[in-house]
Amino acid sequence: MASIQVDVDTTPLAASVDNTRGHLNLVTGAVTTMEAAVIAAENEAAQTICKNVDNGFYILVKSQISQKAVAAYTEMASKQMTLLQLVKALDNVKRQMENDFYMITKRYTKLFQSLNKSLETRVKELDRPAMRLAEIRKNMVFDKLKDDSSMLLSVSAESLPMAQTALSGKMKQKTQVAMQSLAGYVDESRSYSERVDSILTGGEKTSNSADLCYLPVVILETDSLLNLDDKIESVFTAHTDVWQNSASIVSEISRVQPELKWTASSAEEKSFIRGDFLSLCENEISEERLSKEIIRLFDESSWEKCVNEL
């Protein structure tokens, strides 16, 4: 068998491979550089986009806040104007109330001053009889004290019994006068009570009317302040030594009062009572305004009298 020996020169191939490896290394370096540049560009673009998005968001929020601030400021300004108007109105109301208060205070001050003067005048009128009596009795009291005192400042031993006897006699005389005065007052009081009792009880009693007594009674009917449809009835009786406890009389009158028959009083009777009432007002009430008001209420009252006896 033949043997063929072939020699192959690989030097150009090796050189070509070496050149190719260099080019591959350059390509690898270029790719790596490009990748780094792309990554850097992407990062820069991402940062730019994020920055722009953040700025846009901040600008949007700022715009919305500015719009809300403008709307709130406008509303605040309108409400401030309203509040200023209310302040002015309240200030006017305050001044008006102060003026009304001062006016009412002045009016009632004058009224109470007039009432005080009127009451002072009435008190003076009430005290005038006592003061007049005091003026009349002053000299008598002082003279009495002077007369009751001892007339002898110093006496001798011989005239001492005589002076004591004279002083004792004078004291007995004064005591007798005082006892007589008290007795007269007691007799006068007893006589007055007997006259009043005789008037109230009819003067005398018979065997048939031993338990029958006559007593003046006034029944006053007024409208209730709580219920307009309700009436309040008050019974008034005379109070003397005989009729001190009138509770039983008032109770009996209240019991039989619904059965009483009433009729209008005559003009003559009313005129007679009105004359006595006017005389009483003139003598007891010194203030003209109060007297006129009492007389007005008296004239506006309706009168009725009972036609049957209890």
Side-chain angles (χ1 to χ4, degrees):
M1 178 176 188
S3 175
I4 300 172
Q5 184 176 359
V6 179
D7 293 329
V8 179
D9 189 5
T10 60
T11 301
L13 179 61
S16 178
V17 170
D18 289 337
N19 290 332
T20 301
R21 186 175 61 184
H23 290 298
L24 288 174
N25 291 332
L26 291 174
V27 170
T28 302
V31 170
T32 303
T33 303
M34 185 182 65
E35 183 180 5
V38 169
I39 292 173
E42 289 178 353
N43 290 332
E44 184 178 0
Q47 292 294 331
T48 303
I49 292 172
C50 291
K51 185 177 180 180
N52 292 332
V53 170
D54 291 340
N55 290 333
F57 177 75
Y58 291 148
I59 292 172
L60 177 62
V61 172
K62 182 179 179 181
S63 176
Q64 291 179 354
I65 292 175
S66 299
Q67 292 177 0
K68 291 182 179 180
V70 171
Y73 179 79
T74 304
E75 185 178 1
M76 183 270 295
S78 63
K79 290 185 177 181
Q80 185 178 9
M81 293 296 295
T82 304
L83 290 175
L84 291 176
Q85 293 177 358
L86 292 176
V87 168
K88 292 181 180 179
L90 289 176
D91 192 15
N92 294 331
V93 172
K94 179 182 177 182
R95 286 197 298 269
Q96 183 66 32
M97 292 179 67
E98 288 179 351
N99 294 332
D100 294 341
F101 174 76
Y102 292 143
M103 181 178 63
I104 294 173
T105 302
K106 186 177 180 181
R107 182 193 309 165
Y108 279 98
T109 300
K110 291 182 179 179
L111 177 61
F112 282 112
Q113 287 178 355
S114 63
L115 289 176
N116 288 334
K117 291 181 180 179
S118 176
L119 292 175
E120 184 179 359
T121 303
R122 294 184 63 183
V123 170
K124 288 182 179 179
E125 290 294 331
L126 292 175
D127 291 342
R128 183 173 297 175
M131 298 301 296
R132 188 182 299 114
L133 178 62
E135 290 293 335
I136 295 173
R137 295 292 181 179
K138 181 175 66 175
N139 295 329
M140 296 177 61
V141 172
F142 288 157
D143 293 341
K144 182 179 179 181
L145 293 176
K146 182 176 67 176
D147 293 339
D148 291 340
S149 62
S150 177
M151 296 297 180
L152 301 176
L153 298 178
S154 62
V155 294
S156 61
E158 292 80 5
S159 60
L160 181 59
M162 183 64 67
Q164 291 178 349
T165 303
L167 184 59
S168 177
K170 191 172 185 62
M171 293 298 295
K172 289 181 179 180
Q173 181 184 1
K174 294 292 184 180
T175 303
Q176 183 179 2
V177 172
M179 294 297 292
Q180 291 177 355
S181 177
L182 290 175
Y185 175 75
V186 171
D187 292 338
E188 184 179 356
S189 299
R190 183 184 300 172
S191 176
Y192 175 76
S193 298
E194 290 177 355
R195 288 198 301 270
V196 172
D197 294 338
S198 64
I199 293 172
L200 295 178
T201 57
E204 60 181 1
K205 297 181 180 179
T206 62
S207 59
N208 295 329
S209 60
D211 297 332
L212 181 61
C213 297
Y214 293 93
L215 181 67
V217 174
V218 176
I219 301 176
L220 178 63
E221 184 179 273
T222 57
D223 296 332
S224 176
L225 297 177
L226 301 178
N227 188 3
L228 298 179
D229 297 332
D230 193 10
K231 302 290 184 181
I232 299 177
E233 295 180 354
S234 302
V235 179
F236 299 94
T237 60
H239 292 273
T240 63
D241 294 337
V242 178
W243 304 103
Q244 291 182 355
N245 187 9
S246 60
S248 59
I249 301 174
V250 173
S251 177
E252 180 66 18
I253 293 174
S254 300
R255 184 183 64 83
V256 301
Q257 196 273 336
E259 302 176 359
L260 299 179
K261 297 180 180 179
W262 299 90
T263 183
S265 301
S266 61
E268 182 180 359
E269 183 179 6
K270 187 173 181 179
S271 176
F272 177 75
I273 297 176
R274 188 177 186 277
D276 290 342
F277 186 79
L278 292 179
S279 177
L280 181 63
C281 290
E282 291 178 358
N283 295 329
E284 298 295 334
I285 302 175
S286 59
E287 186 178 355
E288 183 179 0
R289 181 181 61 83
L290 182 59
S291 177
K292 288 182 178 180
E293 182 66 17
I294 293 175
I295 294 173
R296 184 185 67 81
L297 295 175
F298 180 83
D299 292 335
E300 291 180 357
S301 300
S302 59
W303 292 20
E304 292 181 350
K305 65 179 180 179
C306 183
V307 297
N308 55 350
E309 296 182 354
L310 297 179

